[in-house]
Amino acid sequence: MRPDDISDRARQLHFSSLVVDTHADTTQRFLGGDFAEDGSFHSDLKFDFAARDARGSVDIPRMRQGGLGAVFLSIWIPSKVKGPPAVKRAREQIAAVRAQVGRHPDDLALATTAAEVRAAHQQGKIAALIGIEGGHMINSELAVLRQLAEQGARYMTLTHSGNAEWADSSGATPIHNGLTPFGREVIHEMNRLGMMVDISHASDKTFYDVLAISQAPLIASHSSCRAICDAPRNMSDAMIKALAAKGGVVQINYHVAFLSQEFRDAEMRDPHINQAIESQVRQHCGDNEACELIEGDRITRQYVAQGKLPRVDWSSIIEHIDHAVKLVGAEHVGLGSDFDGANMPYGMEDVSHIPKITEALLRKGYSEDDVRKILGENTLRLMAEVERVGQALRSAPQK
Ligand SMILES: [Zn+2]
């Protein structure tokens, strides 16, 4: 086949597939504050989701351009915020997502089931879904978990980079030896609610504890492969195999420090670089999280341009996908970009670039069927299975 034929076939395939991204941090941008023309950040400006933005990676026009059919918008607050303030801020962020959907009814539809995602797609709308990034937002109360599910949350990442009160994170010194007894109750309740259990960010021990007790398959909403880039946030081959053996899906993360060993090594070798980036970001943003996430990416890019950090190409996303597929098959791999919350590789600056992934996989010889699975069908299958388990648990007689 001529190269041009592959390009045409890729476009056709991509734009006729239901493409799902299970992790974008764009929600932070809905909460007030935006950049002025000169790049300065002002808390009284409002981010316009419907306008094409030169900053960040996700807005409605660029999702359309990239053929994205569904996006999980992350509800995130730092791990250090706990208790009632964490619950309050989670609710505010969910309300902000719902308000955006309300403001753009021709482009967006809130979805809470796989069927609703397909219905939105059929109507030519982008399905907006809600994921809670960090179990600290339930304040150790199952009632709060149930309320978040009722408000539309369809997965919960058990921890962020700090430990939750009931589960250890990959980003902190373990204090619970994985999942606590209350953590097991959380998993059971999530299974019952038909909410996906997200093990991205969790410690390895937490992952294996959850895998052993969950009655539904698990999702890793935004994690890559440790065999290629040895970061604690990524999954080892053994973990990916164990996840897949129970029907789970790993959604590959595009963050450069999770994609590239060379990038990670450079960061580890010279921690001053990250400190310098952080202080520049703070100078510009104060402690506004929306600003921090967008500026972190932009300033990191400047360091790359100056040769202080290695340049990572978008094609490493394909390496991670291919590694996971070789390990466990195309049924257990998907996309979890981390757009607007991480540092994107060259050529994947924003969501408009994702059709390249489809083309690259076709060029590697992937079947159209396998590409569709990776683009979104695996996530929808997982979601539907988690819903089915939830329904069965809810209708089973109480023991
Ligand atoms: Zn994350």
Side-chain angles (χ1 to χ4, degrees), residues 341-354:
N343 303 330
M344 290 297 121
Y346 277 73
M348 196 51 70
E349 285 76 12
D350 63 46
V351 64
S352 72
H353 294 279
I354 57 174

Side-chain angles (χ1 to χ4, degrees), residues 23 25 74 76 133 157 159-160 200-201 221-222 233 253 258 338 341:
H23 199 88
D25 281 304
S74 169
W76 171 77
E133 190 175 19
T157 319
T159 74
H160 191 246
S200 283
H201 284 286
S221 73
H222 59 310
R233 267 286 282 107
N253 185 316
F258 300 158
D338 220 350

Side-chain angles (χ1 to χ4, degrees), residues 202-277:
S203 74
D204 291 13
K205 179 64 166 61
T206 301
F207 163 74
Y208 283 110
D209 284 357
V210 174
L211 191 74
I213 62 155
S214 178
Q215 290 166 275
L218 309 178
I219 189 170
S221 73
H222 59 310
S223 293
S224 299
C225 305
R226 224 178 262 174
I228 300 177
C229 176
D230 189 14
R233 267 286 282 107
N234 286 343
M235 296 182 77
S236 69
D237 285 0
M239 288 164 79
I240 295 171
K241 280 185 186 167
L243 177 88
K246 290 204 163 178
V249 182
V250 55
Q251 314 279 134
I252 300 300
N253 185 316
Y254 311 167
H255 178 47
V256 288
F258 300 158
L259 289 176
S260 159
Q261 187 68 47
E262 193 196 351
F263 193 96
R264 183 173 159 77
D265 287 346
E267 275 192 333
M268 303 290 276
R269 212 168 28 238
D270 192 354
H272 297 296
I273 295 180
N274 268 352
Q275 287 159 8
I277 293 173

Side-chain angles (χ1 to χ4, degrees), residues 94-257:
I94 291 178
V97 169
R98 300 185 77 107
Q100 284 294 335
V101 174
R103 213 165 292 150
H104 307 292
D106 295 339
D107 288 305
L108 303 174
L110 190 81
T112 60
T113 63
E116 285 176 7
V117 172
R118 291 191 194 281
H121 188 66
Q122 222 120 57
Q123 293 166 19
K125 297 180 188 183
I126 299 162
L129 297 106
I130 295 169
I132 305 286
E133 190 175 19
H136 55 301
M137 278 174 263
I138 66 168
N139 190 28
S140 299
E141 291 178 62
L142 295 181
V144 175
L145 173 65
R146 289 193 277 268
Q147 284 159 12
L148 295 176
E150 215 164 281
Q151 288 158 10
R154 287 344 273 156
Y155 73 63
M156 184 168 78
T157 319
L158 302 177
T159 74
H160 191 246
S161 26
N163 297 323
E165 296 89 338
W166 42 267
D168 286 331
S169 164
S170 64
T173 309
I175 51 173
H176 304 302
N177 188 28
L179 202 61
T180 70
F182 177 72
R184 288 198 278 278
E185 285 182 49
V186 172
I187 302 304
H188 180 72
E189 188 59 15
M190 290 179 75
N191 287 162
R192 209 186 61 84
L193 291 166
M195 211 174 164
M196 289 187 284
V197 177
D198 177 16
I199 57 78
S200 283
H201 284 286
S203 74
D204 291 13
K205 179 64 166 61
T206 301
F207 163 74
Y208 283 110
D209 284 357
V210 174
L211 191 74
I213 62 155
S214 178
Q215 290 166 275
L218 309 178
I219 189 170
S221 73
H222 59 310
S223 293
S224 299
C225 305
R226 224 178 262 174
I228 300 177
C229 176
D230 189 14
R233 267 286 282 107
N234 286 343
M235 296 182 77
S236 69
D237 285 0
M239 288 164 79
I240 295 171
K241 280 185 186 167
L243 177 88
K246 290 204 163 178
V249 182
V250 55
Q251 314 279 134
I252 300 300
N253 185 316
Y254 311 167
H255 178 47
V256 288

